[in-house]
Coordinates of all heavy atoms in Angstrom, one line a residue:
G1 N 20.3 19.2 -102.2 CA 19.2 18.5 -102.5 C 17.9 19.0 -101.7 O 18.0 19.9 -100.9
Y2 N 16.8 18.4 -102.0 CA 15.5 18.8 -101.4 C 15.2 18.0 -100.2 O 14.4 18.5 -99.3 CB 14.4 18.8 -102.4 CG 14.6 19.7 -103.5 CD1 14.9 19.3 -104.8 CD2 14.4 21.1 -103.4 CE1 15.1 20.2 -105.8 CE2 14.6 22.0 -104.3 CZ 14.9 21.5 -105.6 OH 15.1 22.4 -106.6
V3 N 15.7 16.8 -100.1 CA 15.4 16.0 -98.9 C 16.6 16.0 -98.0 O 17.7 15.7 -98.4 CB 15.1 14.5 -99.4 CG1 14.8 13.6 -98.2 CG2 14.0 14.5 -100.4
P4 N 16.4 16.2 -96.8 CA 17.5 16.2 -95.8 C 18.1 14.8 -95.6 O 17.4 13.8 -95.7 CB 16.8 16.7 -94.5 CG 15.4 16.4 -94.6 CD 15.1 16.5 -96.1
A5 N 19.4 14.8 -95.4 CA 20.1 13.6 -95.1 C 20.8 13.6 -93.8 O 22.1 13.8 -93.9 CB 21.0 13.2 -96.3
P6 N 20.1 13.7 -92.7 CA 20.8 13.9 -91.5 C 21.6 12.7 -91.0 O 21.3 11.6 -91.3 CB 19.7 14.3 -90.5 CG 18.5 13.6 -91.0 CD 18.8 13.6 -92.5
I7 N 22.6 13.0 -90.1 CA 23.3 12.0 -89.4 C 22.9 12.1 -87.9 O 23.0 13.2 -87.4 CB 24.8 12.1 -89.6 CG1 25.1 12.0 -91.0 CG2 25.6 11.1 -88.7 CD1 26.6 12.2 -91.3
C8 N 22.5 11.0 -87.3 CA 22.0 11.1 -85.9 C 22.9 10.3 -84.9 O 23.4 9.3 -85.3 CB 20.6 10.5 -85.8 SG 19.5 11.4 -86.8
L9 N 23.0 10.8 -83.7 CA 23.6 10.0 -82.7 C 22.6 9.6 -81.7 O 21.9 10.5 -81.1 CB 24.7 10.9 -82.0 CG 25.4 10.2 -80.7 CD1 26.2 9.0 -81.2 CD2 26.3 11.2 -80.0
F10 N 22.4 8.4 -81.4 CA 21.3 7.9 -80.6 C 21.9 7.3 -79.3 O 23.1 6.9 -79.2 CB 20.5 6.7 -81.2 CG 19.7 7.1 -82.4 CD1 20.2 7.0 -83.7 CD2 18.5 7.7 -82.2 CE1 19.4 7.4 -84.8 CE2 17.6 8.1 -83.3 CZ 18.1 8.0 -84.6
H11 N 21.1 7.4 -78.2 CA 21.5 6.8 -76.9 C 20.4 5.9 -76.6 O 19.2 6.1 -76.6 CB 21.6 7.9 -75.8 CG 21.9 7.4 -74.5 ND1 20.9 7.1 -73.6 CD2 23.1 7.0 -74.0 CE1 21.5 6.6 -72.5 NE2 22.8 6.6 -72.7
C12 N 20.9 4.6 -76.2 CA 19.9 3.5 -75.9 C 20.1 3.3 -74.4 O 21.2 2.9 -74.0 CB 20.2 2.3 -76.7 SG 19.0 1.0 -76.4
D13 N 19.0 3.4 -73.6 CA 19.0 3.1 -72.3 C 17.9 2.0 -72.0 O 16.8 2.3 -71.8 CB 18.7 4.4 -71.5 CG 18.8 4.2 -70.0 OD1 19.5 3.2 -69.6 OD2 18.2 5.0 -69.2
G14 N 18.4 0.8 -72.0 CA 17.5 -0.3 -71.9 C 16.6 -0.4 -73.2 O 17.1 -0.7 -74.2
M15 N 15.4 -0.2 -73.0 CA 14.5 -0.3 -74.1 C 14.1 1.1 -74.7 O 13.5 1.2 -75.7 CB 13.1 -0.9 -73.8 CG 13.3 -2.4 -73.4 SD 13.9 -3.5 -74.8 CE 12.6 -3.4 -75.8
A16 N 14.5 2.2 -74.1 CA 14.3 3.5 -74.6 C 15.5 4.0 -75.4 O 16.6 3.8 -75.1 CB 14.1 4.4 -73.4
M17 N 15.1 4.6 -76.5 CA 16.1 5.2 -77.5 C 15.8 6.7 -77.6 O 14.7 7.0 -77.9 CB 16.2 4.5 -78.8 CG 17.2 4.9 -79.7 SD 17.2 4.1 -81.2 CE 17.9 2.5 -80.8
S18 N 16.8 7.5 -77.5 CA 16.6 8.9 -77.7 C 17.7 9.5 -78.6 O 18.8 9.1 -78.6 CB 16.5 9.7 -76.4 OG 17.7 9.5 -75.7
V19 N 17.4 10.6 -79.3 CA 18.4 11.3 -80.1 C 19.2 12.2 -79.3 O 18.6 13.0 -78.5 CB 17.7 12.1 -81.3 CG1 18.7 12.8 -82.1 CG2 16.8 11.2 -82.0
R20 N 20.5 12.2 -79.4 CA 21.4 13.0 -78.6 C 22.0 14.1 -79.4 O 22.1 15.3 -79.0 CB 22.5 12.2 -78.0 CG 22.1 11.3 -77.0 CD 21.4 11.9 -75.8 NE 20.9 11.0 -74.9 CZ 20.6 11.2 -73.6 NH1 20.8 12.4 -73.2 NH2 20.1 10.3 -72.9
A21 N 22.3 13.9 -80.7 CA 22.9 14.9 -81.6 C 22.5 14.6 -83.0 O 22.3 13.5 -83.4 CB 24.4 14.9 -81.4
I22 N 22.4 15.8 -83.8 CA 22.0 15.6 -85.2 C 22.9 16.6 -86.0 O 23.2 17.7 -85.6 CB 20.6 16.1 -85.4 CG1 19.6 15.1 -84.6 CG2 20.2 16.0 -86.9 CD1 18.2 15.6 -84.5
V23 N 23.4 16.1 -87.1 CA 24.1 16.9 -88.1 C 23.3 16.9 -89.3 O 23.0 15.9 -89.9 CB 25.6 16.3 -88.4 CG1 26.2 17.0 -89.5 CG2 26.4 16.3 -87.2
L24 N 22.9 18.1 -89.8 CA 22.1 18.2 -91.0 C 22.8 18.4 -92.3 O 22.6 17.8 -93.3 CB 21.1 19.4 -90.8 CG 20.0 19.2 -89.8 CD1 19.1 20.5 -89.8 CD2 19.2 18.0 -90.0
D25 N 23.8 19.3 -92.3 CA 24.6 19.7 -93.4 C 25.8 18.8 -93.5 O 26.7 18.9 -92.7 CB 24.9 21.1 -93.4 CG 25.6 21.6 -94.7 OD1 25.4 20.9 -95.7 OD2 26.2 22.7 -94.7
Q26 N 26.0 18.0 -94.6 CA 27.1 17.1 -94.8 C 28.1 17.7 -95.8 O 28.9 17.0 -96.4 CB 26.7 15.7 -95.2 CG 25.8 15.0 -94.2 CD 25.3 13.7 -94.6 OE1 26.0 13.0 -95.3 NE2 24.1 13.3 -94.2
S27 N 27.9 18.9 -96.1 CA 28.7 19.6 -97.1 C 30.1 19.8 -96.7 O 30.4 20.2 -95.6 CB 28.1 21.0 -97.5 OG 28.9 21.6 -98.4
V28 N 31.1 19.5 -97.6 CA 32.5 19.7 -97.3 C 32.9 21.2 -97.2 O 33.7 21.6 -96.5 CB 33.4 18.9 -98.2 CG1 34.9 19.1 -98.0 CG2 33.0 17.5 -98.3
A29 N 32.1 21.9 -98.0 CA 32.4 23.4 -98.1 C 32.1 24.2 -96.8 O 32.7 25.2 -96.5 CB 31.7 24.0 -99.3
S30 N 31.2 23.7 -96.0 CA 30.8 24.5 -94.8 C 31.2 23.7 -93.6 O 31.2 22.4 -93.6 CB 29.3 24.8 -94.8 OG 28.6 23.6 -94.8
P31 N 31.4 24.4 -92.4 CA 31.7 23.7 -91.3 C 30.5 22.9 -90.7 O 29.4 23.4 -90.9 CB 32.1 24.7 -90.3 CG 31.6 26.0 -90.8 CD 31.5 25.8 -92.3
L32 N 30.7 21.8 -90.0 CA 29.6 21.1 -89.5 C 28.9 21.8 -88.4 O 29.5 22.3 -87.4 CB 30.1 19.7 -89.0 CG 30.5 18.7 -90.0 CD1 31.0 17.4 -89.3 CD2 29.4 18.4 -91.0
T33 N 27.6 21.8 -88.4 CA 26.8 22.3 -87.2 C 26.1 21.1 -86.6 O 25.4 20.4 -87.2 CB 25.7 23.3 -87.7 OG1 26.4 24.3 -88.4 CG2 25.0 23.9 -86.6
V34 N 26.4 20.9 -85.3 CA 25.9 19.8 -84.5 C 24.8 20.4 -83.6 O 25.1 21.2 -82.8 CB 27.0 19.1 -83.7 CG1 26.3 18.0 -82.9 CG2 28.1 18.6 -84.6
Y35 N 23.6 19.9 -83.8 CA 22.5 20.2 -82.9 C 22.4 19.2 -81.8 O 22.5 17.9 -82.1 CB 21.2 20.3 -83.7 CG 21.2 21.3 -84.9 CD1 21.6 20.9 -86.1 CD2 21.1 22.6 -84.6 CE1 21.6 21.8 -87.2 CE2 21.1 23.5 -85.6 CZ 21.4 23.1 -87.0 OH 21.5 24.1 -88.0
N36 N 22.3 19.6 -80.6 CA 22.1 18.6 -79.5 C 20.9 18.9 -78.7 O 20.2 19.9 -78.9 CB 23.4 18.6 -78.7 CG 23.6 19.9 -78.0 OD1 22.8 20.7 -77.9 ND2 24.9 20.0 -77.6
D37 N 20.6 18.0 -77.8 CA 19.3 18.1 -77.0 C 19.6 18.9 -75.7 O 18.8 18.7 -74.8 CB 18.9 16.7 -76.7 CG 19.8 15.9 -75.9 OD1 20.9 16.2 -75.8 OD2 19.3 14.8 -75.3
G38 N 20.5 19.8 -75.7 CA 20.8 20.6 -74.5 C 19.7 21.4 -74.1 O 19.3 21.6 -72.9
N39 N 19.0 22.1 -75.1 CA 17.8 22.8 -74.8 C 16.8 22.7 -75.9 O 17.3 22.4 -77.1 CB 18.2 24.4 -74.5 CG 19.0 24.8 -75.6 OD1 19.3 24.2 -76.6 ND2 19.3 26.1 -75.5
E40 N 15.6 23.0 -75.7 CA 14.5 22.8 -76.7 C 14.4 24.1 -77.5 O 13.6 24.9 -77.2 CB 13.2 22.4 -76.1 CG 12.1 21.9 -76.9 CD 12.4 20.6 -77.6 OE1 13.2 19.8 -77.1 OE2 11.9 20.3 -78.7
T41 N 15.3 24.3 -78.5 CA 15.3 25.5 -79.3 C 14.5 25.2 -80.6 O 14.3 24.0 -81.0 CB 16.7 26.0 -79.6 OG1 17.3 24.9 -80.4 CG2 17.4 26.3 -78.4
V42 N 14.3 26.2 -81.4 CA 13.6 26.0 -82.7 C 14.6 25.2 -83.6 O 14.1 24.4 -84.4 CB 13.3 27.4 -83.3 CG1 12.8 27.2 -84.7 CG2 12.3 28.1 -82.5
A43 N 15.9 25.5 -83.5 CA 16.8 24.8 -84.4 C 16.8 23.3 -84.1 O 16.9 22.4 -85.0 CB 18.3 25.3 -84.2
W44 N 16.8 22.9 -82.8 CA 16.7 21.5 -82.3 C 15.4 20.8 -82.8 O 15.4 19.7 -83.4 CB 16.8 21.4 -80.8 CG 16.7 20.0 -80.3 CD1 15.7 19.5 -79.6 CD2 17.5 18.8 -80.6 NE1 15.8 18.2 -79.3 CE2 17.0 17.7 -79.9 CE3 18.6 18.6 -81.3 CZ2 17.5 16.5 -80.0 CZ3 19.2 17.3 -81.4 CH2 18.6 16.3 -80.7
R45 N 14.3 21.5 -82.8 CA 13.0 21.0 -83.3 C 13.1 20.8 -84.8 O 12.6 19.8 -85.3 CB 11.8 21.9 -82.9 CG 11.5 21.8 -81.4 CD 10.2 22.4 -81.1 NE 10.4 23.2 -80.0 CZ 9.8 24.3 -79.6 NH1 9.2 25.0 -80.5 NH2 10.1 24.9 -78.5
Y46 N 13.7 21.8 -85.5 CA 13.8 21.6 -86.9 C 14.7 20.5 -87.3 O 14.4 19.7 -88.2 CB 14.4 23.0 -87.5 CG 14.7 22.9 -89.0 CD1 13.7 22.8 -89.9 CD2 16.0 22.8 -89.4 CE1 13.9 22.7 -91.3 CE2 16.2 22.7 -90.8 CZ 15.2 22.7 -91.7 OH 15.5 22.6 -93.0
A47 N 15.8 20.3 -86.6 CA 16.7 19.1 -86.8 C 15.9 17.8 -86.6 O 16.1 16.9 -87.4 CB 17.9 19.2 -86.0
K48 N 15.2 17.7 -85.5 CA 14.3 16.5 -85.3 C 13.3 16.3 -86.4 O 13.0 15.1 -86.8 CB 13.7 16.6 -83.9 CG 14.7 16.5 -82.7 CD 13.9 16.2 -81.4 CE 12.9 17.2 -81.1 NZ 12.3 17.0 -79.8
M49 N 12.7 17.4 -86.9 CA 11.8 17.2 -88.0 C 12.4 16.8 -89.3 O 11.9 16.0 -90.0 CB 11.1 18.6 -88.2 CG 10.1 18.6 -89.3 SD 9.3 20.2 -89.6 CE 10.7 21.1 -90.3
C50 N 13.7 17.2 -89.5 CA 14.4 16.7 -90.7 C 14.7 15.2 -90.6 O 14.6 14.5 -91.6 CB 15.7 17.5 -90.9 SG 15.4 19.2 -91.5
V51 N 15.1 14.8 -89.4 CA 15.3 13.4 -89.2 C 14.0 12.6 -89.4 O 14.0 11.5 -90.1 CB 15.8 13.1 -87.7 CG1 15.8 11.6 -87.4 CG2 17.1 13.7 -87.6
A52 N 12.9 13.1 -88.9 CA 11.6 12.4 -89.1 C 11.2 12.3 -90.6 O 10.7 11.3 -91.1 CB 10.5 13.1 -88.3
A53 N 11.5 13.4 -91.3 CA 11.2 13.4 -92.7 C 12.1 12.5 -93.5 O 11.6 11.8 -94.5 CB 11.3 14.9 -93.3
A54 N 13.3 12.4 -93.2 CA 14.3 11.5 -93.9 C 13.9 10.0 -93.6 O 13.9 9.2 -94.5 CB 15.7 11.7 -93.4
E55 N 13.6 9.7 -92.3 CA 13.1 8.4 -92.1 C 11.9 8.0 -92.7 O 11.7 6.9 -93.2 CB 12.9 8.2 -90.5 CG 12.8 6.8 -90.0 CD 11.5 6.2 -90.2 OE1 10.4 6.9 -90.1 OE2 11.4 5.0 -90.4
W56 N 10.9 8.9 -92.9 CA 9.7 8.7 -93.5 C 9.9 8.4 -95.1 O 9.4 7.5 -95.6 CB 8.7 9.8 -93.4 CG 7.3 9.6 -94.0 CD1 6.3 9.0 -93.3 CD2 6.9 9.9 -95.3 NE1 5.2 9.0 -94.2 CE2 5.6 9.5 -95.4 CE3 7.5 10.6 -96.4 CZ2 4.8 9.7 -96.6 CZ3 6.8 10.7 -97.5 CH2 5.5 10.3 -97.6
N57 N 10.7 9.2 -95.6 CA 11.1 9.0 -97.0 C 11.8 7.7 -97.3 O 11.5 7.0 -98.2 CB 12.0 10.1 -97.5 CG 11.3 11.4 -97.9 OD1 10.3 11.3 -98.5 ND2 11.8 12.5 -97.5
L58 N 12.6 7.3 -96.4 CA 13.3 6.0 -96.5 C 12.3 4.8 -96.4 O 12.3 3.9 -97.3 CB 14.4 5.8 -95.4 CG 15.2 4.5 -95.4 CD1 16.0 4.3 -96.6 CD2 16.0 4.3 -94.1
H59 N 11.4 4.9 -95.5 CA 10.5 3.9 -95.3 C 9.4 3.8 -96.5 O 9.3 2.7 -97.1 CB 9.7 4.0 -94.0 CG 8.5 3.1 -93.9 ND1 8.6 1.7 -93.8 CD2 7.1 3.3 -94.1 CE1 7.4 1.2 -93.8 NE2 6.5 2.1 -94.0
E60 N 8.9 4.9 -96.8 CA 7.8 4.9 -97.9 C 8.4 4.6 -99.2 O 7.8 3.8 -100.0 CB 7.2 6.3 -97.9 CG 6.2 6.6 -96.8 CD 5.1 5.6 -96.7 OE1 4.5 5.2 -97.7 OE2 4.8 5.2 -95.6
L61 N 9.5 5.2 -99.6 CA 10.1 4.9 -100.9 C 10.9 3.7 -101.0 O 10.9 2.9 -101.9 CB 10.9 6.1 -101.4 CG 10.2 7.4 -101.6 CD1 11.1 8.5 -101.8 CD2 9.1 7.3 -102.6
G62 N 11.7 3.4 -99.9 CA 12.6 2.3 -99.9 C 12.0 1.0 -99.6 O 12.2 0.0 -100.3
S63 N 11.1 0.9 -98.6 CA 10.5 -0.3 -98.1 C 9.1 -0.5 -98.7 O 8.8 -1.5 -99.4 CB 10.4 -0.3 -96.6 OG 11.7 -0.3 -96.1
H64 N 8.2 0.5 -98.3 CA 6.8 0.3 -98.6 C 6.5 0.2 -100.2 O 5.9 -0.7 -100.6 CB 6.0 1.4 -98.0 CG 4.5 1.3 -98.3 ND1 3.7 0.2 -97.6 CD2 3.7 1.9 -99.1 CE1 2.5 0.4 -98.1 NE2 2.5 1.4 -99.0
L65 N 7.0 1.3 -100.9 CA 6.7 1.3 -102.3 C 7.3 0.2 -103.1 O 6.6 -0.5 -103.9 CB 7.2 2.6 -102.9 CG 7.0 2.8 -104.4 CD1 5.5 2.9 -104.7 CD2 7.8 4.0 -104.9
T66 N 8.6 -0.1 -102.9 CA 9.3 -1.1 -103.7 C 8.9 -2.5 -103.3 O 8.6 -3.4 -104.1 CB 10.8 -1.0 -103.6 OG1 11.2 -1.1 -102.2 CG2 11.3 0.3 -104.2
L67 N 8.8 -2.8 -102.0 CA 8.5 -4.1 -101.6 C 7.0 -4.5 -101.6 O 6.6 -5.6 -101.7 CB 9.1 -4.4 -100.2 CG 10.6 -4.3 -100.1 CD1 11.0 -4.5 -98.7 CD2 11.3 -5.3 -101.0
T68 N 6.2 -3.5 -101.4 CA 4.7 -3.8 -101.4 C 4.1 -3.5 -102.8 O 3.7 -4.5 -103.5 CB 4.0 -2.9 -100.4 OG1 4.6 -3.1 -99.1 CG2 2.5 -3.1 -100.4
H69 N 4.1 -2.3 -103.3 CA 3.4 -2.0 -104.6 C 4.1 -2.5 -105.8 O 3.5 -3.2 -106.6 CB 3.2 -0.5 -104.6 CG 2.2 0.0 -103.6 ND1 0.9 -0.2 -103.6 CD2 2.5 0.7 -102.4 CE1 0.4 0.3 -102.5 NE2 1.3 0.8 -101.8
I70 N 5.4 -2.2 -106.0 CA 6.0 -2.6 -107.2 C 6.2 -4.1 -107.3 O 5.9 -4.7 -108.4 CB 7.4 -1.9 -107.3 CG1 7.1 -0.4 -107.5 CG2 8.2 -2.4 -108.5 CD1 8.3 0.5 -107.6
M71 N 6.5 -4.8 -106.3 CA 6.7 -6.2 -106.3 C 5.4 -7.0 -106.5 O 5.1 -7.8 -107.3 CB 7.4 -6.8 -105.0 CG 8.8 -6.4 -105.0 SD 9.9 -7.1 -106.3 CE 9.8 -8.8 -105.8
V72 N 4.4 -6.6 -105.7 CA 3.1 -7.3 -105.6 C 2.3 -7.0 -106.8 O 1.6 -7.9 -107.4 CB 2.3 -7.0 -104.3 CG1 0.9 -7.5 -104.3 CG2 3.1 -7.5 -103.1
E73 N 2.3 -5.8 -107.3 CA 1.5 -5.4 -108.5 C 1.9 -6.1 -109.7 O 1.1 -6.3 -110.6 CB 1.5 -3.9 -108.6 CG 0.6 -3.2 -107.5 CD 0.6 -1.7 -107.6 OE1 1.1 -1.1 -108.7 OE2 0.2 -1.1 -106.7
T74 N 3.2 -6.4 -109.8 CA 3.6 -7.2 -111.0 C 2.9 -8.5 -111.1 O 2.5 -9.0 -112.1 CB 5.1 -7.3 -111.0 OG1 5.6 -7.9 -109.8 CG2 5.8 -6.0 -111.2
F75 N 2.8 -9.2 -109.9 CA 2.1 -10.5 -109.9 C 0.6 -10.3 -110.1 O 0.0 -11.2 -110.7 CB 2.5 -11.2 -108.5 CG 3.9 -11.6 -108.4 CD1 4.7 -10.9 -107.6 CD2 4.3 -12.7 -109.1 CE1 6.1 -11.3 -107.5 CE2 5.7 -13.1 -109.0 CZ 6.6 -12.4 -108.1
C76 N 0.1 -9.3 -109.6 CA -1.3 -9.0 -109.8 C -1.7 -8.8 -111.2 O -2.6 -9.4 -111.8 CB -1.8 -7.8 -108.9 SG -1.8 -8.2 -107.2
V77 N -0.8 -8.0 -111.9 CA -1.1 -7.8 -113.3 C -0.9 -9.1 -114.2 O -1.7 -9.3 -115.0 CB -0.2 -6.6 -113.8 CG1 -0.2 -6.5 -115.3 CG2 -0.6 -5.3 -113.3
Q78 N 0.1 -9.8 -113.9 CA 0.4 -11.1 -114.6 C -0.7 -12.1 -114.3 O -1.1 -12.8 -115.2 CB 1.7 -11.6 -114.2 CG 2.1 -12.8 -115.0 CD 2.2 -12.6 -116.5 OE1 2.6 -11.5 -116.9 NE2 1.8 -13.5 -117.3
T79 N -1.2 -12.1 -113.1 CA -2.2 -13.0 -112.8 C -3.6 -12.7 -113.5 O -4.3 -13.6 -114.0 CB -2.5 -13.1 -111.2 OG1 -1.3 -13.4 -110.6 CG2 -3.6 -14.1 -110.9
Y80 N -3.8 -11.4 -113.5 CA -5.1 -10.9 -114.2 C -5.0 -11.2 -115.7 O -6.0 -11.5 -116.4 CB -5.3 -9.4 -114.0 CG -6.5 -8.9 -114.6 CD1 -7.8 -9.2 -114.1 CD2 -6.5 -8.1 -115.7 CE1 -8.9 -8.7 -114.7 CE2 -7.6 -7.6 -116.3 CZ -8.8 -7.8 -115.8 OH -10.0 -7.3 -116.4
A81 N -3.8 -11.1 -116.3 CA -3.6 -11.2 -117.8 C -3.8 -12.7 -118.0 O -4.3 -13.2 -119.1 CB -2.3 -10.8 -118.2

């Protein structure tokens, strides 16, 4: 697909939460590559960027679009009619 679907491992220390490991490819055909926060490499930054993109897509399409625009606009159109 075009949108990444990463799996993340988070660590929560009190009120702070940080990403510890990320798996990008969930394909059965290829072996899993786990990116971790051991060093700040280009691959680790790319994995974090994929997580941010996936979270943004989930929020914008799943929460904001459906619960704000699609739900509210139906009532606005009906009220105007």
Side-chain angles (χ1 to χ4, degrees):
Y2 296 106
V3 179
I7 298 174
C8 301
L9 174 67
F10 292 97
H11 178 262
C12 185
D13 186 20
M15 294 299 291
M17 183 180 286
S18 60
V19 179
R20 295 297 175 161
I22 300 170
V23 175
L24 292 179
D25 188 17
Q26 299 177 31
S27 172
V28 179
S30 63
L32 288 179
T33 303
V34 178
Y35 301 96
N36 60 18
D37 62 345
N39 54 1
E40 191 70 22
T41 62
V42 174
W44 174 245
R45 284 191 224 142
Y46 175 72
K48 290 193 304 183
M49 183 182 67
C50 288
V51 171
E55 193 279 329
W56 185 86
N57 279 316
L58 177 66
H59 168 72
E60 288 298 321
L61 298 175
S63 300
H64 180 75
L65 177 68
T66 57
L67 297 177
T68 302
H69 293 286
I70 294 176
M71 291 295 292
V72 172
E73 286 177 11
T74 55
F75 291 104
C76 291
V77 168
Q78 185 59 35
T79 303
Y80 181 74

